[in-house]
Amino acid sequence: MTTAGGTLVLAPPYREPGPARPARPAGPYARLFRVPGARAFTTGNLIARLPMGMFSVSAVIMIAGARGSYALAGAVTATGLAATALVAPWTARLVDRCGQARVAVPATALAVLGELALVLCVRYDAPTWTLFASYAATATMPNTGGMSRARWAHLLKDDPRALHTANAFEQAADELCFMLGPVLAALLCSALFPEAGTLAGALLLLTGVLLFAAQRSTEPPVAPRTSAGSPLRTPGMAPLLAVFLATGAVFGSMEVVTIAFADGPAAGPVLALQAAGSCAAGLAYGRARRGAGLRGCLAAMTGLMALPLLAAVATGSLAAVAACLLIAGMATAPTMVTGMATVQRLTPAGQLNEGMTLAVTALLGGIAVGSATGGWTVEHAGAAHGYAVPVAAAGLALALAFSALSPKAGTTKARL
C-alpha cells in the first residue's frame, strides 16, 4: 500500500528490474506454419482431402440401399479404384507440366460431375452399367495430398528438417481425414438421405480445390518438358513402389478383417482407433530431430501388426483387439512419412507430383489386393486368423525393402 495525494491506495509490489525472460522457442509445427502462404493452402487442401474418405463409403451405402446388393456396390467402387489407378499418374504428369491450378480445377470439375451423375443414376434407377461408367468418370480426381507435399518440397527445399516435419504433418492429416471421412459420410447418409454423403463430399472437394488453387504464391513452378519419361525409370523407384504395394496390402486386409471380427456397428470406432494411433504417432514423429530409416519403420510395423493377431486368437475380445490396433496404428504414419520422403529423394524435381501419385497408386493397388486376400482368409479360416494377413504383408514389405532394390540404387539402398 502507498499514499497518493494524502489518500491510501493499493499499488503493485515493487520489483527490481532484471533481465527479460528469453522467449520460449516455437515448436517445429508453429515454425512450419510461419512460412508465408502455408496456412492458406493447407486450409484449402484439408477441405479438399476430407471427401477422400467419404466417397467410397457414401457410394456403398447409396447403391446398396437403392439396389439391395452389396456385391454391386463393391464392384462399382472397385471399378472406380481401378480407373483411378490408371488415370491418376497421367493427371499428375499434367500437373507437373502445366501447373497445379491449371490442371487441378478442371480435373476436379470432371470428377464432381461423375459423382453427380452417379447420384442421378442411382436416384432414377438407371441401367446398372451407368453406375460403373459414372463412378469411373471420377478417376480424374487430383491427388490433393501429393500437391500439398509438392508445395512443401518447393518451399522448404533448403531445410530438410522442416520438410521432415511437413511430411509428418501431411501424413497425420491423411489419417485424420480417413478417420473422420467415413464417419461423416455414414452420419449424413443415415440422418438425411442416402445421397447426402456423396453430395456433401462433392461440394467439399470442389470448394477445397478452388481455395487451394487460388494460392498461387506457394505453387511450385511449372517444370520444363523433359525426355526423361516416367519416374518409374529412375533407379530404385520400381522396387520402392513394390514396397508401397505390400504396405497397401497391410491397410486393406486390416480393414476387412477388423470389420469381419467386429461384425457390427463397433467396426467403425475400432478402425478409427487405429487411425487415431497413426495420427498421433505421425505428429510425434514430425517433432523428432532425426527420422528412422524405412527398414526400421517396416520392422516396427511388422512387429506391432502381430499384436491384434495375438489378441484375437488368444482372447477373442474386441476390446483387446481395439487396444492392440491403437498401438499397431502407431507404426503406420512413421512408415508412410519415411516412404514418401524416399520417393521425394528419388523423383526428379520436375516430376514430383507424378512420382508421389505413383506411390499412392501402388498403395491403392495393395489395398485392393489386401482387401481380397483378407476377405478370402476370413471366409476360410475365420476372422481371428485373418489378422495373419496384415502381418504377412508387413513382413513382405520389410523383405522387399531389404532385398528388392537393385545395386544401381546404392545410395538410396543405404538410406532405406
Side-chain angles (χ1 to χ4, degrees):
M1 302 184 73
T2 186
T3 58
T7 305
L8 189 65
V9 297
L10 291 173
Y14 174 75
R15 293 180 180 176
E16 291 288 341
R21 291 185 179 181
R24 187 175 182 179
Y29 291 104
R31 293 195 298 271
L32 190 67
F33 288 102
R34 287 178 181 173
V35 176
R39 294 183 182 182
F41 84 73
T42 299
T43 300
N45 193 270
L46 289 177
I47 295 172
R49 213 183 307 189
L50 180 60
M52 302 306 174
M54 298 175 61
F55 284 132
S56 60
V57 173
S58 299
V60 168
I61 294 174
M62 180 173 60
I63 296 171
R67 302 294 176 98
S69 172
Y70 279 98
L72 174 61
V76 170
T77 55
T79 300
L81 182 66
T84 301
L86 292 173
V87 175
W90 296 98
T91 305
R93 180 174 293 186
L94 286 174
V95 168
D96 285 325
R97 289 182 177 179
C98 303
Q100 293 184 353
R102 290 182 64 187
V103 175
V105 173
T108 299
L110 288 175
V112 168
L113 288 176
E115 296 288 352
L116 297 178
L118 178 65
V119 169
L120 293 175
C121 290
V122 173
R123 185 75 173 179
Y124 294 102
D125 199 24
T128 300
W129 67 266
T130 63
L131 306 184
F132 290 91
S134 299
Y135 207 61
T138 66
T140 60
M141 196 177 302
N143 178 12
T144 52
M147 290 192 297
S148 186
R149 288 178 171 92
R151 293 202 180 204
W152 287 121
H154 168 63
L155 295 171
L156 305 174
K157 56 182 178 292
D158 298 323
D159 192 345
R161 184 174 170 184
L163 183 58
H164 167 75
T165 302
N167 285 331
F169 169 79
E170 291 296 327
Q171 187 58 41
D174 278 342
E175 299 294 343
L176 183 64
C177 291
F178 278 99
M179 178 173 63
L180 297 179
V183 176
L184 178 59
L187 178 64
L188 290 172
C189 291
S190 58
L192 300 178
F193 48 91
E195 297 85 1
T198 300
L199 293 175
L203 178 61
L204 287 171
L205 175 64
L206 186 58
T207 302
V209 169
L210 288 174
L211 290 174
F212 177 78
Q215 312 308 315
R216 303 300 291 268
S217 63
T218 54
E219 183 176 348
V222 174
R225 289 186 177 271
T226 174
S227 59
S230 170
L232 277 171
R233 298 182 181 180
T234 304
M237 178 62 80
L240 181 60
L241 294 182
V243 174
F244 272 86
L245 186 71
T247 305
V250 176
F251 305 148
S253 58
M254 184 68 78
E255 180 176 349
V256 171
V257 173
T258 300
I259 291 173
F261 187 84
D263 193 26
V270 171
L271 287 171
L273 279 176
Q274 181 187 0
S278 180
C279 181
L283 292 174
Y285 189 66
R287 299 179 67 90
R289 292 182 177 272
R290 183 179 178 183
L294 183 57
R295 292 171 177 172
C297 291
L298 287 169
M301 174 182 278
T302 304
L304 292 179
M305 285 297 163
L307 295 178
L309 173 63
L310 295 175
V313 173
T315 69
S317 166
L318 181 60
V321 170
C324 290
L325 283 172
L326 175 66
I327 299 172
M330 294 179 180
T332 301
T335 301
M336 294 308 304
V337 170
T338 307
M340 284 296 185
T342 307
V343 171
Q344 290 179 10
R345 288 198 299 268
L346 284 177
T347 306
Q351 298 176 296
L352 198 53
N353 283 291
E354 186 177 355
M356 288 189 288
T357 300
L358 286 171
V360 173
T361 301
L363 279 174
L364 293 176
I367 289 172
V369 173
S371 298
T373 306
W376 185 91
T377 306
V378 167
E379 190 75 20
H380 291 82
H385 291 90
Y387 281 110
V389 178
V391 179
L396 175 60
L398 178 61
L400 288 171
F402 269 102
S403 63
L405 293 181
S406 67
K408 294 181 181 179
T411 56
T412 303
K413 188 172 184 178
R415 287 174 182 174
L416 289 178

